[in-house]
Amino acid sequence: MAVVLRWRLAGEFIQNMIFWCIFPFMALILTQWIGVSKAGLYLALSQVFAVIAGLIGGTLADRWGRKSVMTLTSLGFVVALVIFLVGSWFQSVVLYWSAFTLLSVCNALYVPASRAMVSDLVPIHERNQVYARFYTFFNIAVISGPIIGSLVFFRYPLPFFSVAVVLGWVIVWITLLKTTETRQLQDNALPGERKSFWSDNLSAYRQVVKDPVLFLFILSGVFVAQAFMQLEILFPLMVKERLAVGTFAGWEIQANDFFAWMLSLNGILVVLFTSGMAKWMKSMPQKWVFIISSWLYGLSILVFAESKGYMIVIIGIVIFTLAELMIVSVQEGFVSEIAPDDRRGTYFAAAQLRFVLGRLIAPQFLILLPLLGMKGTLLVIALFPMVSGFLYGGMFSLWTKKKQGKIDETFVG
């Protein structure tokens, strides 16, 4: 892996660690200060800004360059942490919310530029392995960040945010001095022909939505997201409903504890086996990696639907994690493969829509619980990743035809 990517990996790990020390506890602290309903509204509004930022982040990375966007976001990250520090001193809801919103916006702007930079630097046959390494370090932050945050966020906010500000400047130093620009900026247009940023952004997305391969990638991703996003929506309800209190291997287990253990098991397996699985997946046809992963997600939901004991749930989590391990590194590599060189940032931003739309739809299955019960609802959800597998099959058929020149190029002019 290139030296610049090693520095990037270190900076991104620090950034994710800080974010995950804060993110899980924002709902708790806002609820304490302003109540549940207002806290939910505040958090939802912050995510709206983050979604908008994510959509324009790709065009910014393509227009201004990867390093420019990453430098802007790292400076914004420091500003957000300073606002958190001041907010913790005054215990201000407005400052905390503003800081968290800015933190989320910077995160959303950063991702397309980061992924595009990897595509710029790494040969196509090595990208999945590099993306796997980034995903592994991301999961280490997701697992360890909340643990550290639970110890310091409420007890020692001033020292915590003071250290975070210092680490934020370390990220800025890495971005400014250890990162090089990888996007070759070209602007041969005459002054009167140059488009404004917003018209360029709109034009870019008009071209993106005309790409049938990317469209099917997003649609398939939305379908399969209905399965993996239930890990934090229906899964805890299922555990609480079916396994309230019980014993496993002679130990008495509470449902909440078991749910936490299953999340930890999923995270640990991902951290341990992502890189190895990425190497293994290189030997499989990419098409079948996507399809089998989707169907394994569906199988895990079917196992959860039939689960009445701890061991069955553990088997379901293992199948669920296997599906995740198969696909995590391959997805980013595929987006980098289908993206034109001058639209990589935009493609990565557009690809994030599968998660945005997935998060909007997944909670709606709670409406089915009173009508179908837990088992019926899970069986309905299991259909979505199964359909996703077939959609991925159609996507690869189109991609094969496009590579062979049997589909006209969508990007013109």
Side-chain angles (χ1 to χ4, degrees), residues 50 52 79 94 149 217 219 233 244 253 264 368 384:
I52 295 170
V79 172
V94 173
F217 177 80
L219 182 62
I233 300 172
I253 302 175
S264 299
L368 296 180
F384 283 78

Side-chain angles (χ1 to χ4, degrees), residues 7 36 47 50 57 93 99 110 131 133 289 314 316 320 375:
W7 281 106
V36 175
Q47 294 313 297
V93 173
Y110 176 88
Y131 284 126
R133 192 167 300 179
V289 173
I314 292 172
F320 182 98
K375 181 177 179 178

Side-chain angles (χ1 to χ4, degrees), residues 78-301:
V78 172
V79 172
L81 293 171
V82 171
I83 297 172
F84 264 122
L85 181 61
V86 177
S88 65
W89 181 270
F90 292 104
Q91 294 194 336
S92 167
V93 173
V94 173
L95 289 177
Y96 258 61
W97 177 80
S98 301
F100 180 67
T101 301
L102 181 56
L103 211 64
S104 300
V105 165
C106 289
N107 236 25
L109 285 170
Y110 176 88
V111 170
S114 167
R115 302 299 175 263
M117 180 176 277
V118 173
S119 299
D120 295 339
L121 289 171
V122 181
I124 192 168
H125 61 281
E126 296 178 11
R127 285 177 194 164
N128 289 350
Q129 195 66 35
V130 174
Y131 284 126
R133 192 167 300 179
F134 273 79
Y135 190 77
T136 298
F137 276 80
F138 171 77
N139 272 278
I140 293 173
V142 170
I143 294 169
S144 55
I147 296 173
I148 297 171
S150 67
L151 299 174
V152 298
F153 186 83
F154 291 102
R155 292 184 180 91
Y156 312 107
L158 286 173
F160 166 63
F161 286 117
S162 298
V163 172
V165 169
V166 174
L167 292 174
W169 282 113
V170 172
I171 298 170
V172 173
W173 175 78
I174 290 173
T175 308
L176 281 174
L177 301 181
K178 298 297 181 179
T179 304
T180 55
E181 182 55 71
T182 60
R183 166 84 170 102
Q184 296 301 315
L185 300 176
Q186 296 178 346
D187 191 1
N188 299 322
L190 296 172
E193 297 175 340
R194 290 193 185 100
K195 295 180 180 179
S196 70
F197 168 72
W198 295 109
S199 64
D200 189 36
N201 195 63
L202 185 61
S203 174
Y205 276 101
R206 279 177 181 160
Q207 292 176 331
V208 163
V209 296
K210 292 177 184 177
D211 186 331
V213 178
L214 181 63
F215 175 78
L216 279 177
F217 177 80
I218 295 171
L219 182 62
S220 305
V222 171
F223 270 70
V224 76
Q226 303 318 303
F228 65 73
M229 288 190 176
Q230 300 307 325
L231 189 65
E232 297 169 349
I233 300 172
L234 277 181
F235 183 72
L237 297 177
M238 181 207 72
V239 170
K240 189 174 181 180
E241 177 184 301
R242 296 182 177 178
L243 309 170
V245 180
T247 58
F248 180 71
W251 293 78
E252 183 176 295
I253 302 175
Q254 299 288 333
N256 289 340
D257 294 336
F258 185 69
F259 169 64
W261 294 350
M262 291 302 97
L263 288 183
S264 299
L265 176 62
N266 169 258
I268 290 168
L269 290 174
V270 168
V271 167
L272 291 176
F273 297 109
T274 296
S275 292
M277 184 64 78
K279 291 179 183 177
W280 185 24
M281 290 302 102
K282 287 173 70 174
S283 64
M284 285 185 65
Q286 203 173 34
K287 171 182 177 179
W288 288 106
V289 173
F290 277 84
I291 292 172
I292 293 172
S293 172
S294 294
W295 289 347
L296 283 175
Y297 272 124
L299 177 60
S300 70
I301 299 298

Side-chain angles (χ1 to χ4, degrees), residues 381-398:
I381 291 170
L383 293 173
F384 283 78
M386 297 300 184
V387 172
S388 175
F390 291 106
L391 290 174
Y392 278 131
M395 177 189 77
F396 274 96
S397 296
L398 284 176

Side-chain angles (χ1 to χ4, degrees), residues 276-352:
M277 184 64 78
K279 291 179 183 177
W280 185 24
M281 290 302 102
K282 287 173 70 174
S283 64
M284 285 185 65
Q286 203 173 34
K287 171 182 177 179
W288 288 106
V289 173
F290 277 84
I291 292 172
I292 293 172
S293 172
S294 294
W295 289 347
L296 283 175
Y297 272 124
L299 177 60
S300 70
I301 299 298
L302 290 174
V303 172
F304 292 146
E306 297 295 335
S307 63
K308 290 185 172 63
Y310 294 109
M311 186 53 69
I312 303 299
V313 175
I314 292 172
I315 292 171
I317 281 290
V318 171
I319 297 172
F320 182 98
T321 306
L322 177 60
E324 182 179 356
L325 286 167
M326 287 184 70
I327 201 68
V328 287
S329 62
V330 180
Q331 307 181 93
E332 308 286 5
F334 181 74
V335 175
S336 71
E337 189 177 349
I338 67 173
D341 291 346
D342 63 336
R343 290 294 183 196
R344 279 177 178 162
T346 306
Y347 263 63
F348 276 108
Q352 292 297 109

